[in-house]
Amino acid sequence: MQRGFGWIPLVAILTISLIIGLNQLNSIYQALSSNSATAAGVYAGFDISLDTDDWTVIWHDELSAGELDLYKWKPQDNGFRSVFSLLYGKIEIRARLSESGTLPSAWLIEENENISAKVNIFHRVNHSNLSADYHTFGIEWDQEKIVWLFDGKETFSTTRDIPDTRQFLYLSSHDSNIDYVRVFKKAF
């Protein structure tokens, strides 16, 4: 009667796998606990170097050659919808808006696309010339108000009709050069 490999080789394979896994965890721990560039860099998909004293990055797409990461976005009829939703936070989009006849825009909206809860982040209007350079468009959204930001400066705020449901981020597919999209939560 021929025997199979038995349990000893199986234990050896599992032990080797465990050691390799522990070595990877140890490398991650060392990188995070050191002052190296890796510690301040990308970990678990989040670029922690984007954090500030007030905000922690929870999602971002640093566009490479102007291409959205299709693992982070779903194509829609009029553009792209993020695969994540959020309830309150800060959104920053750095873009150079096209001067062509199209109207590039970004907004938050409920999954069921309830227009009454829609929050425009930016919407280029025909008289605005924002094609010469990149600008940062953003909002800070909490339970009490929404603040709109342009190049880091507050341009408008409201305490009326603040959405209190999870929202998805939408980007129109119109001509614009997007450098990045970043979503933050308040740091504790």
Side-chain angles (χ1 to χ4, degrees), residues 8 22 95 114 121 176:
I8 293 176
L22 289 175
N114 176 5
I121 298 169
S176 61

Side-chain angles (χ1 to χ4, degrees), residues 62-116:
E62 308 293 317
L63 279 67
S64 171
E67 297 292 324
L68 293 172
D69 181 343
L70 293 182
Y71 289 107
K72 297 179 180 184
W73 301 92
K74 283 175 53 176
Q76 298 287 309
D77 292 339
N78 296 353
F80 297 89
R81 186 192 91 184
S82 62
V83 296
F84 82 100
S85 64
L86 74 146
L87 179 61
Y88 311 126
K90 178 179 178 178
I91 298 170
E92 284 184 356
I93 301 169
R94 185 172 186 265
R96 185 176 68 214
L97 304 186
S98 168
E99 200 172 343
S100 67
T102 61
L103 298 174
S105 57
W107 63 96
L108 292 173
I109 197 166
E110 292 178 346
E111 184 171 21
N112 65 4
E113 299 192 11
N114 176 5
I115 296 296
S116 67

Side-chain angles (χ1 to χ4, degrees), residues 18 28 36 38-39 44 51-52 69 103 108 117 132 153 156 159:
L18 181 61
I28 292 169
S36 70
T38 306
D51 292 355
T52 67
D69 181 343
L103 298 174
L108 292 173
K153 294 182 173 81
F156 182 75
T159 56

Side-chain angles (χ1 to χ4, degrees), residues 128-149:
S128 62
N129 182 4
L130 299 173
S131 65
D133 201 0
Y134 281 87
H135 296 279
T136 304
F137 305 87
I139 63 166
E140 292 180 7
W141 166 42
D142 63 28
Q143 301 91 326
E144 298 174 6
K145 71 178 178 179
I146 300 174
V147 176
W148 281 263
L149 306 164

Side-chain angles (χ1 to χ4, degrees), residues 47 50 57 59-62 90-94 169 179-184:
D47 187 344
L50 302 174
V57 68
W59 186 91
H60 67 97
D61 192 358
E62 308 293 317
K90 178 179 178 178
I91 298 170
E92 284 184 356
I93 301 169
R94 185 172 186 265
L169 177 60
D179 186 28
Y180 63 76
V181 178
R182 297 174 182 163
V183 179
F184 301 84

